[in-house]
Amino acid sequence: PKDFPQLQNDTFLRAARGEETEHVPVWCMRQAGRYLPEFRESRAGKDFFETCRSPEACCELTLQPLRRFPFDAAIIFSDILVIPQALGMDVQMMAGKGPTFPEPLKEPEDLQRLQAKVDVDKELGYVFKAITLTRHKIEGKVPLIGFTGAPWTLMSYMIEGGGSNTHSKAKRWLYRHPEASHMLLRMLTDVIVEYLLGQVAAGAQALQVFESHAGILGPVEFKEFSLPYLRDIARCVKDKLKEAGKDVPMIVFAKDAHYALEDLSQSHYEVVGLDWTIDPRSARERTGGKVSLQGNMDPCALYAPKV
């Protein structure tokens, strides 16, 4: 409908669907980043979230790595914390500190501060515009991946007020306020589903769900407060896409959730992301060939000299 240029390299999409490929497709989760001088130049003196809200800036930052490296996919430049912003929370990117919520959620009554009904097109339309613009500018060279943070990861940021080693404030909610926790996780899930559907409508050709804080949960908590929502997201998105006659591969990356590989492989995602602490052979056995596997490379391996 948007007259996108024809895709010339579908290796990544075929691998995601479990098909044979001539080579292992490569892309990086933080493909646009400070390792690129042109990225640092583009971002200099600009507010991070202002950049996220500029479709032109996001498009340029998404394309920069492709000009240097023969990647098999591009991932749209954005941030997982645009969803808490859409719910009405203030999030700032502080130099040297990272994302900061000046007024995090402290008690269940704070949920009343969040927007009960989010107009995703109005609040996050800038991401959709960035995706559409990038699909055109990428000229069909490689597929474009859209993404979101998963509910538990977003919840933990919203309660911790930023990054944390222990996530003890957010985990306190799970133990002390389980009902309110589920209410917040459900609220986030509903927005995420609409957000991902909007990304596909805008031109995203694959979707990744980042459960970056999975490893801070034990197996019991993961099964109650993360897994059901990850499954709901995939199921709802796929059902809606099917109605529209679309089929987009979905990837789930639950970092450090070694204990959940079997469950994740049966969660309606085509691809399960592995971190570098998992033996891929063991992961293949444990997932029983039900899914494609992605990842397993230690980002610090990039410091190694060229062979």
Side-chain angles (χ1 to χ4, degrees), residues 6-39:
Q6 191 168 353
L7 184 60
Q8 297 153 33
N9 174 1
D10 66 348
T11 310
F12 166 78
L13 296 178
R14 284 189 288 126
R17 294 194 172 102
E19 297 169 22
E20 286 284 326
T21 57
E22 298 72 38
H23 67 275
V24 175
V26 174
W27 68 282
C28 298
M29 289 195 194
R30 294 205 179 177
Q31 212 150 273
R34 288 174 296 224
Y35 72 98
L36 291 172
E38 56 269 40
F39 175 90

Side-chain angles (χ1 to χ4, degrees), residues 49-86:
F49 285 109
E50 239 172 70
T51 303
C52 288
R53 284 189 282 273
S54 162
E56 293 76 18
C58 289
C59 174
E60 168 59 20
L61 294 172
T62 302
L63 295 176
Q64 282 179 355
L66 297 182
R67 296 185 190 123
R68 278 184 183 255
F69 308 110
F71 289 126
D72 292 291
I75 184 164
I76 194 69
F77 181 84
S78 187
D79 194 87
I80 63 172
L81 298 180
V82 297
I83 289 184
Q85 288 178 330

